[in-house]
């Protein structure tokens, strides 16, 4: 959801360009899920979660601008967000599969079940992300530092997730 804002503020894109990009990136989800399922078919889900998290960190590293490789480019942003978006979608499927095996059967019954709670947690995450875009967007600077302000906290969350996953690795047995 950061593309319309960052496209306009950082890259001076027209209003239509982010829409085309988001439509294109949406077409990558199914091929990526097929690729991930073939690549990791003989692995445990807990290993897949860790590996996909590393791919996501790689994508965030591509998105952020550290000044070491010259000017920040639209290609850098598009490639990084493509990696992050597609692997986050793949990760969601693996996490839901893992959750369905670990959750108590009592929590899978009724209206307020684990699926609804997982959906609401995802919605809360999108709301917090949109709020971050709004807060950092009020800075009104047209620099790549705006991208770093949005994505470095996300990188810290992914690193925290990886560390927690490694700490409780043995509990995530199929």
């Amino acid at each position: 959801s950061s593309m319309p804002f960052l496209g306009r503020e950082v890259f001076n894109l027209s209003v239509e360009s982010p829409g085309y990009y988001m439509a294109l990136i949406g077409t990558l989800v199914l091929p990526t899920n097929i690729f991930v399922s073939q690549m990791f078919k003989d692995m445990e889900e807990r290993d897949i979660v860790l590996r996909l998290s590393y791919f996501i960190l790689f994508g965030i590293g591509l998105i952020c601008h550290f000044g070491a490789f010259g000017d920040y480019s639209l290609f850098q942003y598009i490639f990084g967000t493509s990696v992050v978006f597609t692997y986050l979608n793949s990760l969601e499927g693996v996490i839901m599969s893992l959750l369905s095996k670990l959750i108590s059967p009592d929590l899978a019954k009724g209206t307020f079940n684990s699926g609804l709670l997982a959906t609401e947690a995802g919605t809360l995450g999108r709301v917090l992300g949109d709020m971050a875009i709004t807060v950092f967007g009020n800075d009104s600077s047209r620099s790549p530092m705006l991208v770093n302000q949005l994505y470095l906290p996300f990188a810290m969350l992914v690193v925290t997730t990886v560390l927690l996953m490694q700490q409780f690795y043995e509990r995530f047995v199929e």
Side-chain angles (χ1 to χ4, degrees), residues 64-141:
C64 292
H65 180 63
F66 302 108
F69 303 109
D71 292 337
Y72 192 69
S73 69
L74 180 60
F75 176 77
Q76 179 181 351
Y77 179 78
I78 286 175
F79 187 62
T81 55
S82 298
V83 170
V84 169
F85 181 80
T86 53
Y87 285 106
L88 270 174
N89 276 301
S90 297
L91 182 62
E92 181 181 15
V94 176
I95 289 174
M96 288 299 121
S97 174
L98 191 58
L99 179 66
S100 71
K101 294 174 184 172
L102 296 174
I103 200 78
S104 166
D106 293 335
L107 292 175
K109 297 178 184 173
T111 304
F112 296 103
N113 59 29
S114 57
L116 176 68
L117 295 176
T119 302
E120 293 305 316
T123 301
L124 178 62
R126 283 185 281 282
V127 167
L128 293 175
D130 289 344
M131 288 173 59
I133 293 168
T134 302
V135 167
F136 291 122
N138 285 333
D139 183 17
S140 73
S141 66

Side-chain angles (χ1 to χ4, degrees), residues 49-67:
V49 169
L50 283 173
R51 291 182 190 226
L52 290 176
S53 297
Y54 295 137
F55 278 114
I56 293 165
L57 282 174
F58 171 73
I60 294 171
L62 290 174
I63 293 169
C64 292
H65 180 63
F66 302 108

